[in-house]
Amino acid sequence: MTTAELEQPTETVQPEVKGGVVPYLVVEGAVKAGDFYARAFGAQEAGRHPVDEQGRTMHLHLWINGNSVMFSDPFPEHCGASVPAQGFTLHMQVEDVDGWWERAVAAGCEVVLPLQLMFWGQRYGQVRDPFGISWSLAAPMR
């Protein structure tokens, strides 16, 4: 490939970004995380960049519960260092919270707060995935 060809922008199809605020998480093993989230939360892959020589991907775009969540592996050489997840929880409001809960736990999520009826009138619980991310699941009581 010539230098002129390298400098030409390439046209790529970008998947739809769903949701107003989209988390972009840096996790060790982003491709493995995507596979895990497919099993645990029914994630669909919207797009990804190929892995580099070290097995890292710069970008993985998933749709989970109708919204986009994006990931990359740590790239410390590009200001993308990884730090342990802390101080946030990704929340999902779902219809069948028991089904979502059972699937997440069966896939390998650790129960942090058991699924239960809460004082605000929802069945709510929290899990932590193998990548250290906290997730809460809730549904209104009917």
Side-chain angles (χ1 to χ4, degrees), residues 17 19-20 27 33 42 78 83-85 88-89 94 96 98 110 113-114 117 119 123 126 128 130:
V17 176
V27 298
H78 298 293
V83 297
F88 69 90
T89 299
V94 298
D96 176 20
D98 291 285
E110 169 193 356
L113 176 67
L117 177 59
F119 66 90
R123 282 185 51 74
Q126 290 185 3
R128 183 174 305 109

Side-chain angles (χ1 to χ4, degrees), residues 4 9-10 16 19 23 30 32 55 62-64 66 68 83 87 101 105-106 109 113-114 123 133 137:
T10 58
E16 177 185 2
K32 288 180 184 178
L62 302 177
W63 291 324
I64 303 174
S68 291
V83 297
W101 185 266
V105 172
C109 284
L113 176 67
R123 282 185 51 74
I133 308 297
L137 300 166

Side-chain angles (χ1 to χ4, degrees), residues 9 14 20 37 42-43 50 55 80 84 88 100 102 120 127 141:
Q14 297 295 318
Y37 297 133
F88 69 90
W100 279 75
E102 290 168 12
W120 60 82
V127 295
M141 288 303 299

Side-chain angles (χ1 to χ4, degrees), residues 49-58 74-75 77:
H49 288 193
V51 296
D52 68 7
E53 308 79 36
Q54 297 174 33
R56 306 173 302 175
T57 185
M58 184 68 74
F75 280 81
E77 67 273 26

